[in-house]
Amino acid sequence: MNFGDVLRELLENSNLSQKKMAEDLNISASAVGNYVRNNREPDFETLKKIAGYFHVSIDFLLSYSMDNKHPDYRDQKLLQIFHTLTEEQKELYIEQGNLFIKSNQKKKQKLSSLGGENRGDSFRAS
């Protein structure tokens, strides 16, 4: 994914216009438009501003990872979503995550008690 594609997705998910982002970060709207269209890439200082603005890492913005386990940056996407929520929504988000964890643990225990791990079943709680 190119930088412009990532930026476009962040803008859409945050329901922000290019103009609003440009104003908030004190950069030109035409520069933001060029970033989104993949015509230009920001300098390091602007990249840092954009990462801070959306609460994501620069690695996320550049679609870079040394960790092959997370090539799609889902952990960063979850954080970005989390930062856009209200306090009440954040608590619900955490509660839902905990429910998923408990559900996975129960499934894993059930498979284990049935000998599923010895049969080579592919279920893994992660």
Side-chain angles (χ1 to χ4, degrees):
M1 208 176 199
N2 293 325
F3 171 76
D5 301 324
V6 173
L7 182 57
R8 184 180 318 105
E9 185 176 299
L10 287 169
L11 286 164
E12 288 172 2
N13 291 344
S14 300
N15 200 28
L16 287 168
S17 69
Q18 294 176 25
K19 182 180 178 182
K20 173 70 173 146
M21 182 191 122
E23 289 172 0
D24 290 346
L25 296 180
N26 198 28
I27 55 179
S28 73
S30 64
V32 174
N34 281 322
Y35 301 154
V36 170
R37 289 188 301 277
N38 289 305
N39 292 337
R40 276 184 52 194
E41 292 181 345
D43 60 29
F44 293 127
E45 288 305 311
T46 305
L47 197 59
K48 289 192 280 187
K49 284 183 186 180
I50 294 169
Y53 187 72
F54 287 108
H55 306 286
V56 297
S57 70
I58 292 173
D59 287 351
F60 177 79
L61 290 175
L62 299 177
S63 297
Y64 174 77
S65 175
M66 290 176 46
D67 181 0
N68 291 332
K69 294 178 186 175
H70 301 289
D72 58 354
Y73 305 97
R74 286 180 283 185
D75 51 347
Q76 285 289 321
K77 286 185 181 188
L78 288 170
L79 281 174
Q80 192 273 326
I81 292 167
F82 186 81
H83 287 294
T84 65
L85 302 175
T86 66
E87 289 302 313
E88 183 179 354
Q89 291 169 330
K90 287 177 182 179
E91 292 301 320
L92 291 171
Y93 195 74
I94 291 169
E95 285 179 32
Q96 283 186 315
N98 285 329
L99 288 174
F100 284 129
I101 291 168
K102 287 178 185 176
S103 174
N104 287 343
Q105 288 170 341
K106 286 180 183 178
K107 287 178 185 176
K108 187 175 181 181
Q109 287 173 348
K110 185 175 181 180
L111 281 174
S112 179
S113 69
L114 296 173
E117 291 179 346
N118 296 331
R119 292 191 324 251
D121 290 348
S122 62
F123 177 87
R124 294 194 209 303
S126 44

